[in-house]
Amino acid sequence: MSSILTNNGAMVALQTLKTINSDLSKTQSMISTGKEVASAKDNSSVWAISKVMEADVAGFNAISDSLSLGESTLAVASEAAETVTDLLTDIKAKVVAAQEENVDREKIQTDIDALVGQVKSVVGAAQFNGLNLVEGTEDVNILSSLDRASNGSVAASEITINRQDLSTNLGSYGGGTVSLNGNGTVSGSTVSAVANAATITVGHDAASSYTVTVGNKSVTVEAGADAAATDGAIAAAINGLGIDGVSATVTGTPGQVEMASTLAFEDVEVSVSASGIGTMDVDTNTISRRAETITFTQGTKVNDGDSYRVKFNGSNYDYIAGKGETMEDVARGLKIAIDSAGIETVSTKVTQNDAGEWQLNIDNSGADVTDLALVGEDGGTASGGLFGLENLDVTTDFGAENALGMVETLINNSVDAAAEFGSAQGRIETQSSFISNLTDALTSGIGAMVDADMEEASAKLQALQVQQQLGVQSLSIANQSPQTILSLFG
């Protein structure tokens, strides 16, 4: 049936042409934008996912900038720590040279003072964008990652860099409420210069021989004509061993030889024996070191600002711990505090006993050191890692000897700082490389979801253009069909 009111052919042709035009518009949009999903109406779920991922990529780009800034800051700090280590090594060479008496120690001291000034200059200048990692004790956090959980929550991750304080600051003693007095024990309150001794008792027999072993050295003496001659021969033989700080004398009591030790930081092991019917005994097998000992409790946690003070002769010698330090650091810090005072009759040494406890040994070669005590409390401001550097003095025999131990500790501190920075640099470089690769992977993933296949779009465009032309022609034909009805009325 033909109708002039309803043209079904034109309607079909028109709908087809609209579909073709719609597809053609989408294809042209894909070609012009390069995206298959350019807006939420194209594919709402894919568009939403891509936008979340694009936000993450933008965040990771910011993180990459943060890591680059942190890496640059660490590079400056690492260079400073390594330079300080080199300067301290030069100072050590000067200190070693000063151990020889036949040198101009005043000129050596001038060189050391110049190197100390250079160390302080390096530490003060080692800042990047206002941040100095070789001064102070506060941690520095560097933004390193953006972590998205399965539930959609997002959290930022950070790499924590511990500052390595290479300043020469004394610090300030705490005024907190927590007492640290119980973290160490003192062997005695008086450090005396008197030698410690062992008494050897000899039962004389003319046909016997007597052997004395001191440390790893032994001597055997044949009995003399009488007890006095035997005692004298034993004392002379012990002295003949040539052990520094160890001497023997015949006492006023027949059959007794006293062996004394003025060794400050070393016990002397003694054993005796006799052959034949003669006898030989010693009242102790160990002549203890002359120094008094402060033993720090093993396993005690050391917090930033923990303040320890050694007291004697009415004076205080302080060390305030920084972050991450141990009782070894406290013992070595207190040693430097005492050595820096330049008391020529007092010397110190840090050791570790068989139980693993760190000890500060304090010896005295002059008038008695009295009222030796250890106290402590929290709440202080940490001493710098090169605390005591400014007090190096090699102009005297005592000062030169003390300086050698001090500079060794300071070198270890700067080496530890350089190693810490180097480790952090490696971690940041690894994270920076990972973030770069991750950003590339996310960008590629976003492209796979929303980018248009340009080869497919090009082919589709040409096909749709042909379809559009055919659709227009079909609609034109359909629109002309009612004209044939006029012939029925001609």
Side-chain angles (χ1 to χ4, degrees), residues 196-209:
N196 293 324
T199 300
I200 298 173
T201 302
V202 182
H204 179 261
D205 176 73
S208 297
S209 62

Side-chain angles (χ1 to χ4, degrees), residues 93-177:
K94 301 291 183 184
V95 171
V96 171
Q99 304 302 307
E100 173 62 47
E101 294 183 4
N102 189 27
V103 292
D104 190 338
R105 286 177 170 167
E106 294 293 340
K107 289 182 178 178
I108 293 176
Q109 184 64 46
T110 299
D111 291 343
I112 290 175
D113 291 341
L115 289 169
V116 170
Q118 185 60 39
V119 168
K120 295 174 66 176
S121 176
V122 169
V123 171
Q127 60 83 29
F128 185 87
N129 195 30
L131 178 60
N132 192 325
L133 292 179
V134 292
E135 281 190 313
T137 58
E138 294 298 323
D139 293 341
V140 177
N141 295 318
I142 297 175
L143 184 63
S144 63
S145 184
L146 189 66
D147 303 329
R148 184 179 294 279
S150 58
N151 61 4
S153 62
V154 179
S157 296
E158 296 175 329
I159 294 177
T160 299
I161 306 299
N162 297 320
R163 287 198 189 190
Q164 305 296 314
D165 192 348
L166 295 181
S167 70
T168 58
N169 297 330
L170 172 63
S172 59
Y173 191 80
T177 58

Side-chain angles (χ1 to χ4, degrees), residues 199-203 210 255 257 271-274 279-284:
T199 300
I200 298 173
T201 302
V202 182
Y210 303 90
V257 176
S271 62
V272 297
S273 62
T279 61
M280 194 177 207
D281 297 301
V282 62
D283 62 353
T284 179

Side-chain angles (χ1 to χ4, degrees), residues 41-354:
K41 70 176 182 178
D42 296 330
N43 188 323
S44 60
S45 61
V46 170
W47 181 85
I49 293 171
S50 70
K51 287 302 175 183
V52 171
M53 293 178 67
E54 285 175 2
D56 286 349
V57 168
F60 282 122
N61 286 332
I63 289 170
S64 181
D65 293 339
S66 173
L67 288 170
S68 295
L69 180 61
E71 192 172 351
S72 298
T73 305
L74 267 174
V76 171
S78 180
E79 180 63 29
E82 291 176 11
T83 300
V84 167
T85 301
D86 291 341
L87 290 169
L88 289 175
T89 302
D90 292 341
I91 292 175
K92 180 180 177 180
K94 301 291 183 184
V95 171
V96 171
Q99 304 302 307
E100 173 62 47
E101 294 183 4
N102 189 27
V103 292
D104 190 338
R105 286 177 170 167
E106 294 293 340
K107 289 182 178 178
I108 293 176
Q109 184 64 46
T110 299
D111 291 343
I112 290 175
D113 291 341
L115 289 169
V116 170
Q118 185 60 39
V119 168
K120 295 174 66 176
S121 176
V122 169
V123 171
Q127 60 83 29
F128 185 87
N129 195 30
L131 178 60
N132 192 325
L133 292 179
V134 292
E135 281 190 313
T137 58
E138 294 298 323
D139 293 341
V140 177
N141 295 318
I142 297 175
L143 184 63
S144 63
S145 184
L146 189 66
D147 303 329
R148 184 179 294 279
S150 58
N151 61 4
S153 62
V154 179
S157 296
E158 296 175 329
I159 294 177
T160 299
I161 306 299
N162 297 320
R163 287 198 189 190
Q164 305 296 314
D165 192 348
L166 295 181
S167 70
T168 58
N169 297 330
L170 172 63
S172 59
Y173 191 80
T177 58
V178 178
S179 172
L180 306 177
N181 295 359
N183 291 346
T185 56
V186 182
S187 60
S189 61
T190 301
V191 185
S192 174
V194 176
N196 293 324
T199 300
I200 298 173
T201 302
V202 182
H204 179 261
D205 176 73
S208 297
S209 62
Y210 303 90
T211 300
V212 178
T213 301
V214 183
N216 59 358
K217 294 184 177 182
S218 297
V219 63
T220 299
V221 176
E222 299 297 330
D226 53 31
T230 301
D231 294 345
I234 292 172
I238 294 172
N239 291 331
L241 292 174
I243 302 174
D244 289 340
V246 176
S247 62
T249 57
V250 176
T251 68
T253 303
Q256 284 191 346
V257 176
E258 183 178 86
M259 188 169 67
S261 170
T262 58
L263 294 177
F265 309 117
E266 183 181 349
D267 295 339
V268 177
E269 301 299 325
V270 182
S271 62
V272 297
S273 62
S275 67
I277 62 173
T279 61
M280 194 177 207
D281 297 301
V282 62
D283 62 353
T284 179
N285 291 116
T286 302
I287 304 176
S288 61
R289 66 195 67 185
R290 186 175 65 179
E292 296 298 336
T293 301
I294 299 174
T295 303
F296 296 93
T297 306
Q298 187 180 20
T300 300
K301 182 179 179 181
V302 179
N303 300 307
D304 184 21
D306 281 356
S307 307
Y308 288 89
R309 171 174 288 169
V310 173
K311 306 168 65 174
F312 58 82
N313 289 353
S315 297
N316 299 327
Y317 306 91
D318 302 339
Y319 180 73
I320 301 88
K323 284 186 177 180
E325 295 196 350
T326 64
M327 277 302 179
E328 178 185 5
D329 298 307
V330 171
R332 295 191 184 282
L334 288 171
K335 168 182 168 56
I336 289 177
I338 296 171
D339 291 349
S340 296
I343 309 171
E344 294 202 0
T345 57
V346 175
S347 57
T348 61
K349 185 176 183 179
V350 173
T351 57
Q352 193 173 22
N353 63 18
D354 293 339

